[in-house]
Amino acid sequence: MEKVLTKNIRDDRDPMWLAEYEKAGGWEAYKKAVQEMKPTEVADLVKEAGLRGRGGAGFPTGVKWSFMPRFEENPEKRPAHIYMVANADEMEPGTFKDRLLMEGDPHQFIESMAIASYAIGADIAYVFIRGEYTECQRKLQRAIDEAMEAGYLGSDIFGTGYSLKMYLHMSAGRYICGEESALLSALEGRRAVPRHKPPFPAASGLFGQPTTVNNVETICNVPHIVNNGAQWYKSLGLHKDGGTKIFGASGHVARPGLVELPLGTKLSEVLDYFGGIRGGRELKALLPGGGSTPLLTQEHLNTPMDYEGVGAVGSRLGTATMVVMDDQTPIVGVLKNLEHFYAQESCGWCTPCRDGLPWVERILTNLEAGKGNPGDIELLELHTKLLGPGKTFCAHAPGAMGPLESGLKYFRDELAALIPDDATTPDSTQAANAVSNH
């Protein structure tokens, strides 16, 4: 299998610094882009390649870039700044792929940011990085400093007139910063709350200026597309989606970690790269792409791990970093821990999310403790509807309902068995059932 994103990453994560990276072909794609291509040509190439976002949503990157206003023909109308922002916050439970890329090959990421910035016409780039990622910060800052000294960043780059400044911003840390407009609010020094859309960031983003936000792994694909072309990139995938993907696994696998594989590799084959289920046990369930993705089970082992393949079985590829559970795992504990996390990480902006998620957590806590009540399963089902898509200000609560809804689908009997036979229906449940029936 051809490694693309991780080909320079060593086992000890001692990265290539500038001289070694250049010797391995680094920064050549940036030179090609800035010296030989127009910004729109770079953006069109990425669009043709079909690169999709690797942060969870899977939105086509080139299409996202096409939303940015263009000022090449009317430079007098150009705003004060145009921003490129990398989301390196990586707060999704079970996800640690971007950390590998930033620590193991920082120059690849900085070069990728520079090309992406050129493609959208940005003159300032920010890396919004998780506060705990201090090792990433140290290595990325050294890579930025080396790039500045070499003339890859700064003013009038290669004598073309293009200028780019790049900064690191250490996040205070909130899950909601995975939502791009909340990230921009935090970057401005304000409360991390999602913004009304429209306007979208491409029209009014960071400090009210045109802005694009992309995930770290997404951006790291760009120099390879520039160097090798769109058709080459498409050929890397096994089905419709092109490219490779960094798959991860934690939990009940024999060898937790990360591996780069073609998009579309079957779930069973991905698990084999991590040694299968530890202790010779059977798979019970897994979260295929972080805590907000609906569960998959044994029946899904033949699923191709790409955007359409996972979507076809009712889940999402997400970050493709799996949390794996063996056949001895009580599913109620998994769901309770996830809902606790999402209740805790709610920004509190809208009532359904702020009040509904703690209620879901409380029901699951009581079920786990053997204190469940008749109607609890129906009450959980009601919440999956009341907190679902279109019912809240952003996608935080609907994401939290993904594992709960699938848990009820595949493990309803296991959850219902936790309700004691002598339990009585409380008034709150009767009221909720009345609401549901109404």
Side-chain angles (χ1 to χ4, degrees), residues 305-367:
M305 293 297 285
D306 55 19
Y307 299 96
E308 289 193 353
V310 180
V313 295
S315 188
R316 294 184 296 108
L317 182 66
T319 60
T321 45
M322 303 178 294
V323 181
V324 182
M325 293 147 264
D326 66 22
D327 53 10
Q328 300 298 306
T329 306
I331 205 68
V332 67
V334 174
L335 297 176
K336 184 202 72 173
N337 287 344
L338 287 169
E339 299 308 328
H340 170 73
F341 173 82
Y342 288 111
Q344 180 176 267
E345 290 296 326
S346 171
C347 76
W349 189 254
C350 66
T351 302
C353 184
R354 181 184 63 244
D355 294 345
L357 290 177
W359 195 357
V360 168
E361 180 194 353
R362 186 162 58 249
I363 295 170
L364 292 167
T365 299
N366 288 338
L367 284 173

Side-chain angles (χ1 to χ4, degrees), residues 16-34:
M16 292 181 175
W17 296 113
L18 183 62
E20 189 179 3
Y21 183 71
E22 289 177 321
K23 189 175 181 180
W27 287 102
E28 290 301 317
Y30 181 56
K31 294 176 185 176
K32 178 181 178 180
V34 175

